[in-house]
Amino acid sequence: MSYAFYITMREFIVVGHKARTDGNFNLNDLPGSGGRIDILCRCVNCALFLSHDLRRDVIIYLVLLGEPDIPKIVKFEGENVRYLNPDERSSGSLIKKALERSAIPKWRESTRGVWIRLGGLADLLEEVLTEDKKLFYLQENGGDIRNVFKENVPVNTVFVLGDHTGMTPEEETVIRDLDVKTINIGPISLHADHCIILVNNEIDRTVGTTG
Ligand SMILES: C[S@@+](CC[C@H](N)C(=O)[O-])C[C@H]1O[C@@H](n2cnc3c(N)ncnc32)[C@H](O)[C@@H]1O
């Protein structure tokens, strides 16, 4: 799998503090039985979907920290994902299938373009952050994204953001210990999925996308 021909690659990391770590949740009750996994489902949608197409230059990682298992990460690759429709049940069902596989510390593909591994935020950042990528932490009191992207958008970007509870102080420490730029996408606190849409749009306006 090679992403080298894309103009840019965008990666999003979303932390779901209560999101279930096994597949034992009901697709008809994603918020309750899934530990607000509905938020992560919407993030998948906003990261990957265009009108009648997918963003092939985007990868989204969901860090699941809820009951009952140790932390797990589910990855959706825009280039390779199949069987994904733009509704919460669809991404919820692919996450559920991934969680029904036994996870190990290495990635295992569950369905086409959807992968699972054991690990938390620090493990993921260590793996994902290669020298050619720039890390951005989305936070309400960061620097204005439009100023940061005014000159140029880095070719390979990684954006990390929280769920409805934000980030814990420990997670903030992990992020801030890295070479990271903290940015905001506007003056008001927004839902995580809406932030992803807006980041995608800011980059589209600057460099376009590979749909
Ligand atoms: C619903 S918000 C979290 C609100 C939570 N009550 C808090 O205090 O952190 C979800 C995530 O979206 C991102 N976010 C929300 N509004 C933002 C903004 N205006 N600029 C940048 N990131 C934002 C942050 O990463 C935040 O953790």
Side-chain angles (χ1 to χ4, degrees), residues 49-209:
F49 276 100
L50 294 165
S51 176
H52 303 298
D53 205 352
L54 283 167
R55 293 181 178 275
R56 297 174 213 290
D57 51 355
V58 173
I59 296 172
I60 178 164
Y61 303 89
L62 312 174
V63 181
L64 314 178
L65 301 179
E67 296 290 325
D69 294 342
I70 59 174
K72 291 178 184 166
I73 309 161
V74 176
K75 166 169 72 167
F76 283 74
E77 299 169 328
E79 186 184 29
N80 299 313
V81 70
R82 299 289 181 276
Y83 322 117
L84 179 65
N85 294 309
D87 60 87
E88 282 172 37
R89 279 181 65 94
S90 174
S91 41
S93 131
L94 293 180
I95 294 169
K96 191 173 164 70
K97 280 202 177 80
L99 288 169
E100 283 164 358
R101 287 212 65 176
S102 62
I104 58 172
K106 288 187 172 173
W107 291 112
R108 299 178 104 174
E109 194 167 26
S110 155
T111 50
R112 283 283 303 279
V114 182
W115 300 73
I116 183 153
R117 59 161 284 190
L118 293 177
L121 179 64
D123 306 307
L124 180 63
L125 287 169
E126 188 183 334
E127 175 195 304
V128 164
L129 284 178
T130 48
E131 271 179 19
D132 58 330
K133 295 181 189 169
K134 181 72 194 145
L135 177 66
F136 296 96
Y137 175 34
L138 287 176
Q139 218 201 19
E140 290 83 338
N141 61 7
D144 187 330
I145 189 171
R146 294 200 169 166
N147 292 335
V148 174
F149 284 2
K150 195 159 54 187
E151 302 294 316
N152 69 316
V153 179
V155 176
N156 299 308
T157 44
V158 180
F159 300 91
V160 60
L161 57 162
D163 60 5
H164 60 301
T165 62
M167 289 286 183
T168 65
E170 293 76 20
E171 288 161 351
E172 288 238 336
T173 303
V174 166
I175 295 167
R176 291 188 192 283
D177 278 351
L178 297 165
D179 182 12
V180 63
K181 195 154 194 68
T182 302
I183 56 171
N184 79 58
I185 40 161
I188 296 172
S189 184
L190 303 169
H191 289 172
D193 55 327
H194 298 173
C195 293
I196 292 175
I197 284 276
L198 289 167
V199 168
N200 268 333
N201 188 57
E202 289 298 327
I203 304 180
D204 293 345
R205 289 167 65 97
T206 315
V207 294
T209 186

